Amino acid sequence: MRQAPHVLRLLTALLAVGTGVGCPMGPCEEHAPSPLFDGAMVGVGQPQALTVHGVFSRCGASQDERAQSVSVEVRDPQNRVLPATAKLAGHGASAVVRFTPEQTGRHHLVVSFSPVGSVRQSSLYVVEDHSAQAPLVDLSTVVECPSVDRTSSGTWLCGSQALRTPDQEPQPLGDYFAPAVVAGDVVWVTEAARVRRYVDMGSGPLATSADAPFPATGAPADAPPHARLATATELLLLDETHLHRYAFSEEEGLRAMGSTPVRPSRLATFSDDLPSLLMRAGERLLVVRIAEAPAPATLAIQACPYQLDAAGAPRPVPDEPCHSVPGLPVGHEEGVLWARAASGTQNLELLRYSAASGRLRLDGVLEMTSSFQLQGAERLRTTGFGLPVVSPAVGVSRPYAVPRWRAETGTVVLELLPSPERRKPPFVGGRYFHLEHWNILYGVKVYARPSTP
């Protein structure tokens, strides 16, 4: 009987070792604070209720303590204080912050917990919210849509496949993945060896208008174009080594006006290995690529001017060298180049350049914190035009937004896009963007761009 207390003490000691009570198994390590909130982009004019977590020690004597009070301050892009409230939640471990943003742009939040919980602050970006926008059409009779566009008469183009109505059998205009470009009711398709011009007559299949050999006489073989610009009567094509021009008239049909060599590029401009871009800059053309730059930057954007000679062929502008501007290309619209800062900052800087009078001119800069990530335009070889997509770097919700130039204020803002599945960013082209989906069969939901350049 006298041994019982000794056995109990031994069992108690063993349990303490097994459960870690009184004898820690290892050193206590603090975890990094969780993100301030999920999703750092919200819609303008919409009431917000954001949950902000405090920062509490796991290792100190106060690990079971919680905040007793909380306060909040929200400032808009003009540094004005907005009406906002904060209420403790989670037994003092977090707070719910409520306010209604009234303008787009970067807002700053400061949430103060007391006596523990620390001061938490972050940027919140208020954007134009088009996430509830309804699709224009759902294309489900195609195998794949590398690009989406539409003629003035209403025929949809899915790559080089034409659909008068969404549910009809597509009309092939060329090789399935041949680049196509729409100019009003004219559709240009460039295959491996020919350029074809089609016209939408308003009903029935698109009519073949004219065709011509590609590459033109004197151009290198096996050099498919990766960039193109078009009007109803002109087609400009840029391949790895040459810039080509075609012109159409009712009297003479489609003619190759000439080709001129362009300097080959050693560096890819976009993620799909696009070597260069082609832009209009007033009466001139610009071939845009990435080039080496002097320190502290290592790379920059280089733009080389071209113009038409008396015979209508593109030629380099005499006595006018290429010029360079800061950044790396991430998107391309008609007459607009989007770039990101190449170096010098950990934050995200999105630059907007417009092409005019033969040069690239910086219009505006959108600055964002490192809590955001940017994905450059994809499929430019087939789409021709495309915008970069911005999304939060962390968080369960991953909304996607695209930049927009607001001419009335001279600023770059963001527009939140529909993304029901939120598995991957939408493909944003010149006038439309589309989301691919699978519902037994492949399909594409097509949306109108909320704004144009």
Side-chain angles (χ1 to χ4, degrees):
M1 297 297 295
R2 294 180 180 179
Q3 293 181 349
H6 175 72
V7 172
L8 290 176
R9 287 196 298 269
L10 180 60
L11 289 174
T12 301
L14 291 173
L15 287 173
V17 172
T19 58
V21 177
C23 183
M25 298 299 293
C28 180
E29 296 182 359
E30 297 284 4
H31 290 285
S34 61
L36 195 60
F37 37 73
D38 282 345
M41 289 190 292
V42 300
V44 64
Q46 298 181 3
Q48 300 297 320
L50 305 176
T51 299
V52 179
H53 298 280
V55 180
F56 301 94
S57 172
R58 296 178 61 251
C59 302
S62 60
Q63 61 181 352
D64 293 328
E65 296 181 10
R66 292 294 183 263
Q68 302 301 313
S69 64
V70 65
S71 62
V72 62
E73 182 180 88
V74 180
R75 291 185 177 269
D76 68 11
Q78 282 70 47
N79 203 34
R80 297 174 300 194
V81 177
L82 295 183
T85 63
K87 184 178 180 180
L88 288 174
H91 303 288
S94 62
V96 177
V97 175
R98 300 180 185 273
F99 70 102
T100 301
E102 298 177 349
Q103 62 175 301
T104 59
R106 182 175 176 175
H107 289 58
H108 192 69
L109 277 71
V110 179
V111 181
S112 303
F113 293 87
S114 180
V116 293
S118 188
V119 175
R120 308 219 58 194
Q121 55 183 321
S122 181
S123 293
L124 182 75
Y125 288 82
V126 179
V127 301
E128 296 181 9
D129 190 356
H130 301 275
S131 59
Q133 178 181 340
L136 293 174
V137 68
D138 193 337
L139 306 177
S140 58
T141 60
V142 294
V143 177
E144 187 174 353
C145 260
S147 62
V148 172
D149 210 336
R150 197 180 193 185
T151 67
S152 298
S153 295
T155 299
W156 288 103
L157 271 297
C158 173
S160 60
Q161 311 290 298
L163 298 92
R164 174 70 61 184
T165 60
D167 56 352
Q168 78 167 168
E169 189 70 19
Q171 174 194 359
L173 304 181
D175 295 340
Y176 194 87
F177 294 105
V181 57
V182 176
D185 276 329
V186 173
V187 179
W188 300 89
V189 177
T190 306
E191 295 184 301
R194 299 201 71 78
V195 171
R196 304 183 187 275
R197 182 181 186 269
Y198 294 86
V199 179
D200 189 347
M201 307 303 292
S203 62
L206 271 61
T208 303
S209 168
D211 64 358
F214 179 82
T217 304
D222 301 324
H226 57 260
R228 58 210 176 275
L229 295 174
T231 67
T233 58
E234 179 190 57
L235 177 65
L236 293 156
L237 299 172
L238 178 65
D239 62 30
E240 299 281 351
T241 57
H242 282 75
L243 174 60
H244 314 264
R245 181 174 182 264
Y246 290 82
F248 174 82
S249 67
E250 296 293 344
E251 299 77 20
E252 299 182 275
L254 184 60
R255 296 179 299 148
M257 305 304 296
S259 304
T260 190
V262 296
R263 184 186 308 172
S265 176
R266 298 186 298 105
L267 303 170
T269 302
F270 284 90
S271 59
D272 53 357
D273 295 328
L274 202 70
S276 52
L277 298 172
L278 183 61
M279 302 181 66
R280 293 188 191 275
E283 297 297 320
R284 294 180 176 179
L285 302 168
L286 291 177
V287 174
V288 180
R289 61 169 61 88
I290 295 177
E292 295 179 355
T298 57
L299 298 174
I301 298 168
Q302 184 185 73
C304 302
Y306 291 77
Q307 63 186 14
L308 303 184
D309 63 15
R315 297 286 182 259
V317 178
D319 302 323
E320 187 168 330
C322 305
H323 66 279
S324 296
V325 295
L328 297 175
V330 290
H332 176 219
E333 298 180 88
E334 181 71 46
V336 174
L337 180 68
W338 294 96
R340 69 170 300 164
S343 61
T345 176
Q346 293 184 346
N347 291 341
L348 172 63
E349 289 187 357
L350 186 60
L351 317 175
R352 184 189 191 270
Y353 291 98
S354 60
S357 302
R359 299 188 68 84
L360 292 176
R361 180 188 63 197
L362 180 63
D363 297 321
V365 180
L366 176 65
E367 296 184 0
M368 307 187 77
T369 66
S370 57
S371 60
F372 290 84
Q373 63 184 12
L374 183 144
Q375 178 173 310
E378 294 186 338
R379 301 184 179 181
L380 280 188
R381 286 182 181 270
T382 51
T383 60
F385 298 117
L387 264 68
V389 177
V390 177
S391 63
V394 296
V396 178
S397 174
R398 294 293 296 275
Y400 296 106
V402 292
R404 170 190 172 186
W405 174 246
R406 182 171 285 173
E408 61 271 20
T409 59
T411 57
V412 178
V413 297
L414 292 175
E415 295 176 332
L416 206 59
L417 299 183
S419 183
E421 298 178 357
R422 292 184 177 178
R423 296 178 183 174
K424 60 182 179 180
F427 297 99
V428 186
R431 297 187 298 161
Y432 303 95
F433 67 94
H434 65 279
L435 293 167
E436 298 175 327
H437 64 87
W438 289 89
N439 184 13
I440 302 178
L441 298 176
Y442 173 87
V444 172
K445 292 184 183 296
V446 182
Y447 299 80
R449 280 270 305 279
S451 63
T452 59

